Amino acid sequence: MLELQGIPVSPGVAIGPALVLDDEGYRIPRCLIPAADTTAEWGRLLSAFGKVAKQLEVNRKQTAERLGEEAGRIFSAQQQMLSDPGLLAELEGRVRQQQQSAAYAVSRVLHRYAEALGKLNSPFLAERAEDVLDIEKQLLHRMGAVTSDPLSNLDEPVILLARNLTPSETANLDRQYVRGFCTEIGGPGGHTAIVAKGLELPAVVGIGQFLDRIGQGSQVIVDGDRGCMIVDPDQATIDRYEERAQIRQKLTLRLAELRDLPAETVDGQRVTLSANIEFPHEVDACLQRGADGIGLYRTEFLYLSSNEEPSEEDHYEAYTEVIGALQGRPVVIRTLDLGADKMGHTSLTEPENNPFLGLRSIRLSLKNQDLFRTQIRAVLRAAVHGDVRMMFPLISTLQELRTARMLVNIVIDDLREEGAEFRSDIPIGMMVEVPAAVIMIDRFAEEVDFFSIGTNDLVQYTLAVDRSNESVAELYQSSDPAVLRLIQQTVDVSNKTNTPVGICGEMSSNPARVLLLLGLGVRSFSVPPLAIPRIKKVIRSVTIADCEEIADRVMQLESAREVDLYLLDRLGDLVPELVVQ
């Protein structure tokens, strides 16, 4: 049994056989062949070499004709690698003497070559490492050792193990068969983690290098609550997890009884408890758990889950589906938050050195105004069907907000001229996600109808810590005193100016931190659907006076660790049912 620790990003437990993917999306298992077959296996490998060499020559000629001899020499370098006598000798030894399958020998040897080149700290040699991996992939395809997409033909439940998963890859996982996943890299605030929660897939990221230690089909437990992955568990461990599953099931049934009760504190303070969604089909799960509405509809997943850029009608149909399912409850539609680690199949930006500080979110929308106007048109048209609010992400300056609002007015004029059915009076708000927005929050309050604090990016930009980087994950804490002061400042100004404010970041799905947020004056939360019952349980178990006392104490503390230990202790006092599970 092997137990590895990572970062829990999506709660729950899943047990099943491993499907191991390398960076390239495949994994070649260690395979030995009978001694009698080694000559044929070596011949198969030589045949693949010949075919790849021929294709490289074709590529070289065609590229040279189009782009010149210099460009054609890219493939000359690969041809030289392929004909290296040392490479051939090592592969022959592995196949003939060690009786390794040709595919396994190719994968091991060329991966080792690439790793050696990558460690030389030279951009030129790093590119050569990519050339080596490209040759490996071509050889494996020629030998039929890999398919183009191992996730497309699943026919049994699996636990997916990978180096990394992008948000779009995660969004497109087959929920019928993929029961959970673990990755070597990734952080707690990455968008992949958000998608996993939306899909209710148990997930652990940032485990570190482990793929080379796991066999295909090995039994794996993903513990998304505690952030661990257990490989080949013994029977006692399996029994323990099955017992935990029964306890969780009983708690889930008890919390489900709160569904039709209001999110109201013991002393009668009504709190709005809404849900975050990525996909229209999630609305049913939100309503089944008693959500007051949708506080954050992340529309960029229209892009991430499709091979084509969505049209105005695609947007409109998705929004009307959500609005119809909500039956009069409100929905906050956030305009596109593409860029950084969220990009569709067609990139809208040039490669950037610091994409999280670059052309992303509202900046990308304002740079691609045709795309932005298409979405605004769809939102305003869909708004005739229900209670719709529109929200701009990552606003940093007043000018960005004013430009976005100006585009809304232009679209309104266009729709009016066309005689289209639409609404021009929907509330327009902004996300508070960067310190600059907090510093200017009193000025923004004069120009928006509501605020929503996005703690995921607010933490990232306040603490200068990459939310998706496992190496600095311990610094990524929404309970850091600096972040808490920004939240407090935003809430105080919002209350003073009568500007509604809520929290839609991941912080609001943490029961202990909700105690603090209530004490700071937050009265509106939007959380992943799975978290609704627990957060409602917290709200219905405390008084505002309890929470204000907690907030007073927390704002005197000096570190995230002190804050979390104190909050966990108070959660144990006030809602012990949620601590022991």
Side-chain angles (χ1 to χ4, degrees):
M1 184 171 79
L2 173 67
E3 182 167 345
L4 299 171
Q5 190 64 39
I7 302 168
V9 294
S10 184
V13 172
I15 304 175
L19 174 61
V20 185
L21 302 182
D22 277 351
D23 280 351
E24 300 84 357
Y26 54 81
R27 170 78 184 274
I28 304 301
R30 187 172 188 273
C31 179
L32 301 181
I33 57 176
D37 294 343
T38 56
T39 298
E41 187 73 354
W42 176 240
R44 196 164 73 90
L45 179 52
L46 288 179
S47 175
F49 262 72
K51 292 174 181 175
V52 172
K54 187 178 291 184
Q55 185 60 50
L56 287 173
E57 178 60 15
V58 171
N59 294 345
R60 188 195 65 76
K61 287 183 176 178
Q62 291 179 345
T63 302
E65 288 172 2
R66 288 199 302 268
L67 304 175
E69 288 298 328
E70 184 69 24
R73 276 196 277 275
I74 295 171
F75 298 100
S76 299
Q78 287 189 323
Q79 289 173 310
Q80 290 174 6
M81 292 179 195
L82 203 61
S83 60
D84 177 21
L87 171 63
L88 286 168
E90 180 170 0
L91 288 173
E92 184 172 13
R94 283 178 176 254
V95 174
R96 290 189 183 278
Q97 277 81 53
Q98 300 179 36
Q99 297 176 230
Q100 294 179 359
S101 70
Y104 182 71
V106 164
S107 182
R108 293 299 91 193
V109 171
L110 291 183
H111 259 86
R112 180 163 55 78
Y113 279 24
E115 287 174 4
L117 289 169
K119 291 178 180 177
L120 295 178
N121 197 27
S122 161
F124 174 77
L125 292 176
E127 290 180 7
R128 300 290 75 75
E130 293 299 321
D131 287 343
V132 171
L133 293 176
D134 185 40
I135 290 174
E136 178 216 3
K137 186 177 293 185
Q138 292 186 59
L139 287 170
L140 293 176
H141 276 289
R142 290 291 181 180
M143 290 188 288
V146 298
T147 59
S148 57
D149 183 4
L151 290 173
S152 63
N153 297 310
L154 295 176
D155 56 7
E156 63 176 1
V158 297
I159 305 296
L160 183 60
L161 309 181
R163 170 70 175 161
N164 190 24
L165 289 176
T166 65
S168 59
E169 288 171 335
T170 308
N172 287 296
L173 291 176
D174 186 342
R175 279 296 283 119
Q176 182 179 359
Y177 296 116
V178 178
R179 298 296 168 83
F181 69 81
C182 298
T183 62
E184 292 186 330
I185 64 175
H191 291 116
T192 295
I194 293 171
V195 178
K197 282 183 182 172
L199 296 174
E200 300 186 8
L201 271 176
V204 179
V205 304
I207 294 175
Q209 187 173 348
F210 68 83
L211 293 179
D212 56 354
R213 302 162 68 184
I214 313 297
Q216 204 73 265
S218 299
Q219 189 78 352
V220 173
I221 297 175
V222 182
D223 185 341
D225 299 318
R226 300 179 180 179
C228 69
M229 177 180 78
I230 302 172
V231 183
D232 295 327
D234 57 28
Q235 191 57 47
T237 302
I238 293 173
D239 292 344
R240 190 171 72 249
Y241 270 92
E242 289 179 345
E243 182 181 359
R244 271 186 59 195
Q246 292 177 1
I247 294 173
R248 287 177 63 92
Q249 181 63 25
K250 290 178 181 176
L251 175 62
T252 299
L253 291 174
R254 290 200 299 275
L255 294 179
E257 295 173 359
L258 304 177
R259 188 186 78 167
D260 297 324
L261 298 176
E264 186 175 284
T265 60
V266 173
D267 52 346
Q269 175 64 57
R270 183 68 164 92
V271 176
T272 301
L273 183 55
S274 304
N276 301 338
I277 63 168
E278 280 74 42
F279 311 101
H281 66 76
E282 293 179 81
V283 174
D284 287 343
C286 301
L287 299 182
Q288 287 170 12
R289 291 171 171 123
D292 290 323
I294 302 302
L296 175 62
Y297 179 10
R298 297 184 174 100
T299 56
E300 56 273 13
F301 288 94
L302 279 171
Y303 284 78
L304 301 181
S305 59
S306 172
N307 291 323
E308 299 178 357
E309 184 174 312
S311 65
E312 180 180 326
E313 288 308 303
D314 292 330
H315 283 282
Y316 175 79
E317 290 174 9
Y319 305 157
T320 52
E321 181 181 345
V322 170
I323 295 165
L326 285 172
Q327 300 178 346
R329 298 176 183 84
V331 53
V332 179
I333 298 177
R334 184 180 69 182
T335 60
L336 294 172
D337 188 21
L338 290 169
D341 64 342
K342 287 186 294 185
M343 192 56 74
H345 292 272
T346 302
S347 178
L348 299 171
T349 68
E350 296 296 325
E352 299 175 287
N353 289 331
N354 296 299
F356 277 100
L357 299 178
L359 196 59
R360 60 165 295 208
S361 200
I362 191 68
R363 302 170 186 173
L364 188 67
S365 292
L366 295 178
K367 188 80 172 180
N368 295 271
Q369 293 192 4
D370 288 343
L371 172 145
F372 195 26
R373 290 169 67 166
T374 295
Q375 182 178 30
I376 294 171
R377 285 176 60 92
V379 173
L380 297 180
R381 287 175 54 210
V384 300
H385 301 295
D387 184 349
V388 174
R389 300 106 192 258
M390 182 158 54
M391 179 165 68
F392 302 132
L394 206 73
I395 293 288
S396 302
T397 68
L398 285 164
Q399 189 58 44
E400 285 176 339
L401 175 64
R402 289 167 182 167
T403 304
R405 294 205 65 140
M406 180 189 70
L407 284 171
V408 172
N409 290 331
I410 292 173
V411 169
I412 287 173
D413 289 342
D414 290 345
L415 290 171
R416 188 170 287 129
E417 285 183 13
E418 295 168 15
E421 190 179 16
F422 71 102
R423 276 186 59 194
S424 61
D425 59 346
I426 66 172
I428 294 180
M430 60 174 269
M431 293 194 70
V432 180
E433 303 179 274
V434 295
V438 179
I439 293 168
M440 297 291 289
I441 198 71
D442 56 329
R443 298 296 301 275
F444 281 116
E446 298 171 359
E447 304 191 26
V448 298
D449 298 308
F450 64 92
F451 292 122
S452 186
I453 302 173
T455 52
N456 301 357
D457 273 329
L458 186 62
V459 174
Q460 172 172 248
Y461 293 123
T462 301
L463 302 177
V465 55
D466 184 344
R467 58 192 273 187
S468 60
N469 186 337
E470 71 281 3
S471 301
V472 291
E474 65 180 27
L475 297 174
Y476 184 85
Q477 299 292 342
S478 59
S479 52
D480 187 278
V483 177
L484 299 183
R485 290 187 182 205
L486 294 177
I487 293 173
Q488 183 178 40
Q489 183 179 343
T490 302
V491 174
D492 288 348
V493 172
S494 299
N495 290 338
K496 191 179 299 181
T497 58
N498 293 318
T499 308
V501 61
I503 289 197
C504 62
E506 295 299 308
M507 181 183 187
S508 58
S509 62
N510 181 310
R513 293 175 185 173
V514 166
L515 295 175
L516 166 63
L517 295 170
L518 285 168
L520 290 175
V522 178
R523 300 291 181 264
S524 178
F525 298 87
S526 190
V527 303
L530 198 61
I532 290 174
R534 288 172 182 259
I535 301 307
K536 185 179 282 188
K537 175 65 177 174
V538 171
I539 294 169
R540 292 185 58 81
S541 301
V542 300
T543 66
I544 292 300
D546 293 332
C547 297
E548 288 177 344
E549 176 195 340
I550 289 171
D552 287 343
R553 172 62 180 146
V554 164
M555 297 310 285
Q556 305 303 315
L557 301 177
E558 297 181 345
S559 71
R561 177 176 170 76
E562 287 179 285
V563 171
D564 283 333
L565 287 174
Y566 173 72
L567 290 178
L568 192 58
D569 185 54
R570 294 309 312 272
L571 184 68
D573 294 337
L574 297 168
V575 205
E577 205 172 358
L578 297 186
V579 175
V580 296
Q581 305 303 328

